[in-house]
Amino acid sequence: MANATMTKFGYPGAAIREAELWSVQVRPKQPGFGSLVLVSKEPAQAFGALSAAAFAELGTLVPQIEAALKAVTGYDRINYLMLMMVDPDVHFHVIPRHEAPRDFAGLTFRDAGWPGPPALGEGPELDAAAIESLKNEILRRWPSA
């Protein structure tokens, strides 16, 4: 069942991958090309409140996310931000970082925060068609289990 954070970030339309305890979704606002949210499905509002199973599944998902995003975006660095101030459900903002702009689906993505912290409020807001294109591109490059 979707929690409020999953829904806020466009679930189910933005969902790329559904694991048992996590949802991987395209982040509609793109501070870096390929930005995602990785949202826990457990009813937890603190990282330490997650189950051992959630931590184990996270350990499987992170390398898959990084491999797929590297293949699609060619990121220079990748940031995982766990802020949980506005959206209290456990989640990470996964932000590929780029020194140079990237073009995709008729949009130009500039990392306004490079080389410092990501500028979360900057970058294009993806419409449904661009979200679907990015989802498909990431899924095409998702490593086999």
Side-chain angles (χ1 to χ4, degrees):
M1 179 172 192
N3 61 39
T5 302
M6 291 167 64
T7 303
K8 177 182 178 179
F9 286 102
Y11 186 87
I16 297 170
R17 270 298 211 237
E18 289 297 312
E20 182 181 349
L21 300 171
W22 294 90
S23 179
V24 181
Q25 299 175 207
V26 170
R27 188 179 192 277
K29 186 74 165 174
Q30 293 277 297
F33 173 51
S35 294
L36 307 177
V37 287
L38 176 58
V39 186
S40 172
K41 295 178 181 179
E42 292 189 334
Q45 295 188 343
F47 194 41
L50 293 176
S51 68
F55 281 104
E57 194 172 75
L58 185 62
T60 300
L61 285 171
V62 167
Q64 294 172 347
I65 289 167
E66 290 182 5
L69 286 178
K70 187 68 165 180
V72 172
T73 72
Y75 64 77
D76 297 306
R77 298 271 191 264
I78 191 162
N79 293 163
Y80 290 81
L81 306 176
M82 179 183 275
L83 305 172
M84 299 181 329
M85 295 301 291
V86 175
D87 306 300
D89 301 299
V90 172
H91 67 286
F92 295 91
H93 296 264
V94 182
I95 313 294
R97 306 300 306 277
H98 313 99
E99 186 173 7
R102 303 293 199 268
D103 294 312
F104 179 81
L107 298 167
T108 298
F109 299 80
R110 290 179 180 80
D111 187 336
W114 183 271
L120 295 178
E122 300 295 320
E125 181 86 29
L126 302 183
D127 63 16
I131 288 171
E132 193 64 27
S133 292
L134 184 53
K135 277 175 43 176
N136 289 336
E137 194 62 26
I138 292 169
L139 278 171
R140 198 168 66 78
R141 306 288 182 84
W142 197 273
S144 329

